[in-house]
Amino acid sequence: MKKNNPLQKHHFWVLFGLAPLLTLLGVSCINSSVGGKIEQREKEIDDANKAIGGKQNPKPKALIDEASKIYEKVSNKQGDLHKVNWERQKHLYVWPTSSPLLRRFNDSNLKFGDPLPTNEGEFDEFRKREVYIYEFSTLRKDGSGGPGSGMADRVAPTQFRGGWESVLRHVNDFGQNQLTKDQVWLIMEDVWVQRSLLDAVRSLNADMSAFRRAKVEKDGSVVVDPTYDDAGNKLAFDREGKPVYDRRTGRRAVLPTPDEEKRKAVFRNRTWSVELELVREGGSQRLVGTLTNQSERLQLMGVGNVMALNVWFSKDPAAAPMVFKIGGEFLPGKGAIKRDKDGKEVPANVLSVVPIDDHIVPPATSAEEIVRVEQVFDIRTVPVKRIEALALGFLDSRNAGKPLVGPKSPPFAPDPVAADPAAGAGAGPGGPMGMGGLPPAPMGGIGPIDMGPGGPGGPNAGNTTKGQLWGGGPIRAVVDANKKRYLEVTDQVRRLPVGVVVVVDQSYIEDMLLAFANSPLRFQITQVAWTRFRGTLAGIGQAAGSSGPGGGIDFGAGTVNFGGSGDPDAKPGGFRPGPIGPGPIGPMGPM
């Protein structure tokens, strides 16, 4: 019997059903392959069109050459800036000139960290007081030797809290080991940085003490006369009012002082104006004058109720001045009124100088012209009263958590105390190299921080958990433990953070900041705070005739009390300031 297979029997219909499916699969494969080829070809065509379009506007060779010059100029700009800064700063990096061996380094064109000669005992020179310590102060405690020439001496009458030895970082114990090249470089870097900080203070005091030639306007105001320079020279101008320069020297051309402006002249500075006149009295001459308070604040005259002015009668820089003393307690500010002996109302800010014998010009002095005037500051009148603290390696709030780094090595050797637990591996609240044992204060270390025995004047001044930031100490604490001292180090720049606290008259706060910013060492001010000073300054307290436990100043019949029981804001005790957050500098604690 014949068997029929269903698949064979209905194979036509099976193939007929599969045919559309197989056809669809074939068409899909063909479309996918062809579509990919088309997309690839279109991309190649677009790329070719873009390449051709980029060549349709070719740059001329002259333009390409000009662009190359600009690129080269911009590339060299950084080097030019570093060169300009170095020209401004190179006079700061001076080795002790009191030592012939170290003085030779000034002519060697050395870079920081370079090898130094030691075959003649050059490093032992730092152990001599008249070499290293004299960089800070040449004054002796017995008062002999005349005026000092050290960095601390030059800011006088500005004081140091506890003496400069408690404020400025220096080595007072070199130990028995031979100094290394790295130690010598870091010792000198501390000297250079601190000297630049103090030079900023000195420049502010000097700027505020100098009087400029002035003139009286029609409304009675006293303004600086631009036709005179700082040295008292009469400058030349052309018919259009433009300055005239000497073709040989390139300096401003100078004219003879007019006769009517020689013996009678007006000078002024920020606070005062003084009108001086040379008057003949028989065979001698007397200097007479009128003093005016140009500010709106009451101004003190000086310690002992005396203001002293240096007056020069010669343009010779080496000429000695005559000291012109003005007696008085104080002068009220501009706008104050008083009654004279006739009962008339007159300005209270103007004082006619009472003639005294000291106002007679010495016979040996040739006085035919009043050239320039300068105020002699004392502790009562100087803008910057006292330097409370100066800390090297002190971080501001912005960089409090940033670790400090050491000099580049080579040429410096690796830090010898980095792994020494005895040197202190911890960090203070201000981060590595922070203030260590000092208690935290608001605003990142700003405010009434109690320095205690480790602060200025204490037996361990400046000691922290890692290095000593201020004051005197052994070389291990001052130098070795402070090798990591920079925020950033490159081949051209070393950024060293510093903190400064000063007592400054409130009228000069902005001037103090400007003096730091204008320093050739280029201090960048990153953090500033101020608070009222409630302590006592030497020379203003009871020893100077003042009264009150807070160092108030009592002037008898005309009483003006500052601080002490006369101050309604006075508090028991004194303000104990600490260095505020710097970076590289951040003053201040003003008066």
Side-chain angles (χ1 to χ4, degrees):
M1 183 176 177
K2 186 178 179 180
K3 296 182 180 180
N4 294 326
N5 190 337
L7 184 61
Q8 293 179 352
K9 182 177 179 180
H10 303 288
H11 70 279
F12 174 80
W13 301 106
V14 171
L15 293 175
F16 183 79
L18 291 175
L21 178 61
L22 295 175
T23 301
L24 180 62
L25 291 175
V27 172
S28 300
C29 292
I30 292 173
N31 288 339
S32 176
S33 176
V34 173
K37 293 290 185 180
I38 293 174
E39 291 179 358
Q40 181 179 0
R41 185 59 179 169
E42 289 178 347
K43 184 177 182 303
E44 293 175 356
I45 294 173
D46 291 338
D47 293 342
N49 288 334
K50 291 179 180 179
I52 294 174
K55 297 180 179 181
Q56 289 179 350
N57 187 23
K59 300 293 187 297
K61 185 177 185 303
L63 184 60
I64 296 175
D65 293 341
E66 185 65 24
S68 300
K69 293 179 180 178
I70 295 176
Y71 178 80
E72 182 180 359
K73 183 177 180 180
V74 173
S75 300
N76 295 332
K77 188 65 176 179
Q78 184 178 15
D80 294 339
L81 291 175
H82 287 307
K83 181 179 179 180
V84 170
N85 288 333
W86 168 249
E87 293 297 325
R88 293 182 60 213
Q89 298 175 2
K90 64 181 182 181
H91 70 279
L92 303 174
Y93 308 112
V94 178
W95 293 79
T97 57
S98 57
S99 168
L101 295 177
L102 298 180
R103 188 168 57 239
R104 294 183 302 184
F105 294 171
N106 293 320
D107 302 325
S108 301
N109 196 25
L110 297 169
K111 293 183 179 180
F112 188 76
D114 280 354
L116 299 172
T118 60
N119 55 328
E120 297 185 46
E122 285 84 352
F123 292 178
D124 290 334
E125 294 291 287
F126 286 90
R127 303 177 187 271
K128 300 177 180 179
R129 176 179 178 83
E130 64 273 16
V131 174
Y132 174 62
I133 293 299
Y134 272 25
E135 292 293 301
F136 297 88
S137 176
T138 61
L139 295 178
R140 296 187 177 274
K141 294 183 178 180
D142 58 6
S144 62
S149 59
M151 67 175 77
D153 307 329
R154 298 178 65 198
V155 299
T158 300
Q159 301 174 353
F160 291 86
R161 185 171 184 257
W164 72 264
E165 298 91 339
S166 300
V167 177
L168 302 181
R169 186 163 80 183
H170 65 287
V171 178
N172 57 21
D173 181 6
F174 287 93
Q176 301 299 321
N177 296 330
Q178 175 67 36
L179 294 179
T180 66
K181 177 261 299 182
D182 294 356
Q183 289 174 329
V184 169
W185 276 111
L186 296 179
I187 287 172
M188 288 307 304
E189 183 176 58
D190 287 351
V191 170
W192 296 327
V193 172
Q194 292 177 109
R195 180 187 292 150
S196 297
L197 288 167
L198 296 183
D199 277 348
V201 175
R202 181 188 57 81
S203 67
L204 171 60
N205 292 339
D207 289 343
M208 295 303 106
S209 69
F211 282 70
R212 288 288 305 275
R213 191 68 176 253
K215 59 183 179 179
V216 181
E217 300 286 8
K218 294 182 179 180
D219 60 356
S221 61
V222 180
V223 298
V224 172
D225 189 347
T227 62
Y228 283 87
D229 62 11
D230 294 343
N233 297 310
K234 185 75 172 179
L235 302 176
F237 294 86
D238 60 17
R239 294 181 178 180
E240 298 179 356
K242 296 181 180 180
V244 177
Y245 292 88
D246 190 319
R247 295 182 179 180
R248 295 175 301 174
T249 63
R251 299 177 180 178
R252 292 288 300 272
V254 176
L255 300 174
T257 305
D259 292 339
E260 64 273 13
E261 298 179 8
K262 286 185 176 181
R263 301 180 61 83
K264 186 176 181 179
V266 180
F267 299 84
R268 74 156 297 168
N269 63 7
R270 170 81 69 84
T271 305
W272 306 97
S273 68
V274 59
E275 182 178 356
L276 299 175
E277 183 178 3
L278 282 169
V279 178
R280 300 188 187 278
E281 293 184 353
S284 62
Q285 296 190 99
R286 179 185 294 273
L287 191 63
V288 300
T290 301
L291 181 70
T292 303
N293 179 6
Q294 295 291 343
S295 71
E296 297 181 353
R297 294 175 49 201
L298 179 147
Q299 298 292 339
L300 304 178
M301 300 292 285
V303 173
N305 297 334
V306 175
M307 172 189 288
L309 301 178
N310 282 333
V311 181
W312 280 266
F313 303 114
S314 172
K315 297 177 182 178
D316 184 0
M322 170 184 170
V323 180
F324 184 68
K325 297 181 180 180
I326 304 174
E329 301 171 356
F330 56 85
L331 275 185
K334 187 187 301 184
I337 300 297
K338 67 179 180 180
R339 294 185 181 275
D340 62 9
K341 59 183 179 180
D342 297 328
K344 296 181 180 180
E345 290 187 347
V346 294
N349 64 319
V350 180
L351 174 67
S352 295
V353 181
V354 177
I356 58 176
D357 292 341
D358 288 347
H359 294 167
I360 298 177
V361 179
T365 302
S366 175
E368 295 298 331
E369 177 183 354
I370 304 173
V371 176
R372 61 189 180 97
V373 178
E374 176 186 85
Q375 183 177 358
V376 181
F377 282 137
D378 54 42
I379 187 57
R380 183 177 289 175
T381 56
V382 68
V384 184
K385 311 294 183 182
R386 189 167 75 185
I387 301 174
E388 299 288 287
L390 193 159
L392 304 182
F394 184 72
L395 293 166
D396 62 353
S397 297
R398 182 174 63 181
N399 297 297
K402 189 174 181 178
L404 298 179
V405 298
K408 280 197 169 186
S409 55
F412 275 79
D415 188 356
V417 298
D420 186 357
M433 294 289 290
M435 292 310 295
L438 297 184
M443 296 180 67
I446 305 172
I449 301 176
D450 187 354
M451 290 184 174
N460 298 310
N463 285 333
T464 67
T465 56
K466 187 174 178 62
Q468 183 167 315
L469 305 188
W470 67 82
I475 190 169
R476 183 169 183 80
V478 172
V479 177
D480 295 343
N482 282 320
K483 194 169 184 180
K484 292 185 176 180
R485 53 175 60 192
Y486 309 111
L487 282 170
E488 180 184 359
V489 177
T490 67
D491 291 336
Q492 296 84 16
V493 178
R494 301 184 306 279
R495 294 186 60 206
L496 173 66
V498 301
V500 180
V501 181
V502 297
V503 179
V504 61
D505 188 287
Q506 63 184 12
S507 300
Y508 304 103
I509 295 177
E510 292 82 2
D511 300 278
M512 184 78 267
L513 298 175
L514 185 63
F516 284 124
N518 287 339
S519 169
L521 208 58
R522 298 182 62 82
F523 294 104
Q524 178 187 4
I525 302 171
T526 62
Q527 185 171 334
V528 179
W530 69 272
T531 185
R532 182 166 181 168
F533 177 76
R534 303 183 185 276
T536 301
L537 297 174
I540 296 185
Q542 296 180 358
S546 62
S547 62
I553 304 171
D554 194 334
F555 292 103
T559 302
V560 180
N561 292 313
F562 294 84
S565 57
D567 181 2
D569 296 328
K571 296 181 180 180
F575 172 67
R576 309 189 73 182
I580 73 166
I585 194 168
M588 53 197 12
M591 182 177 179

